[in-house]
Amino acid sequence: MPAPRFLDIEYCQTDDVLFPVAMAWSLEDGQMKTVVIAPADEWIPEDADLGDIDLLYLEEQGVPLIELAQELHQDLPDQTVYVDGMDPDEVLVDLIFTAVSMDAPFEIAGIEELITTMPREELDDRRRQLLSDEGLEPRLPENGVYALLLIAREEGLFE
């Protein structure tokens, strides 16, 4: 049985802007990919307050949106991809694919649609506990995906 697919997105949100800055997703074999995202010019208004986001780093180290979109099309075609539901994931995915005039190759669903044995609040608590137990920084998307993979494994959804 293939592993369920998971996705998590770190993002910048201020009064002026909302855009993704990093993303991680899991593959069929349970492995994970993670990228820093080069923002689209239209996402960042002039004189926007970006908080603690290093725009130069994103521009220099980030994956161009077209490459990210192509990779997601390759890795997650016709999949349901589960998210923790803590972030505006659907909006962020729409921003990415709208910027490159493509449709997302996957559907997003909350983890509670996959794991129905626990109420939503309990899933959130379990995810936070796993992050804490493993000493993982909750803001890193790869850690969010890892925690969801651990929960899915605990629930017997894959080995």
Side-chain angles (χ1 to χ4, degrees), residues 3-152:
R5 311 293 178 88
F6 299 101
L7 177 136
D8 195 22
I9 304 173
E10 181 183 344
Y11 58 98
C12 172
Q13 182 172 19
T14 68
D15 292 340
D16 301 322
V17 296
L18 170 68
F19 64 90
V21 297
M23 177 188 283
W25 64 95
S26 62
L27 303 172
E28 182 176 356
D29 61 6
Q31 292 188 48
M32 192 181 334
K33 287 187 176 180
T34 185
V35 296
V36 172
I37 301 170
D41 292 337
E42 64 266 20
W43 293 350
I44 304 161
E46 214 153 310
D47 301 327
D49 172 21
L50 300 182
D52 62 351
I53 298 297
D54 183 346
L55 191 55
L56 184 59
Y57 173 78
L58 295 178
E59 290 169 347
E60 289 179 351
Q61 301 299 315
V63 170
L65 292 172
I66 189 68
E67 289 178 25
L68 174 58
Q70 290 168 339
E71 195 161 351
L72 290 167
H73 268 273
Q74 179 181 333
D75 291 346
L76 303 172
D78 304 316
Q79 297 292 314
T80 297
V81 180
Y82 298 95
V83 297
D84 61 18
M86 307 293 284
D87 308 319
D89 297 299
E90 288 186 58
V91 171
L92 296 165
V93 166
D94 285 346
L95 280 171
I96 291 166
F97 285 96
T98 299
V100 294
S101 302
M102 295 172 83
D103 291 328
F106 52 86
E107 296 292 323
I108 291 180
I111 185 74
E112 70 278 1
E113 292 182 36
L114 176 67
I115 299 173
T116 58
T117 56
M118 283 186 250
R120 175 60 201 230
E121 298 76 28
E122 195 174 323
L123 282 166
D124 292 343
D125 291 344
R126 182 69 188 130
R127 185 185 61 78
R128 277 191 291 277
Q129 186 62 50
L130 283 167
L131 289 168
S132 175
D133 291 351
E134 299 284 332
L136 301 173
E137 167 59 48
R139 285 193 53 190
L140 296 177
E142 58 269 26
N143 294 343
V145 169
Y146 181 64
L148 294 175
L149 285 165
L150 289 175
I151 292 170

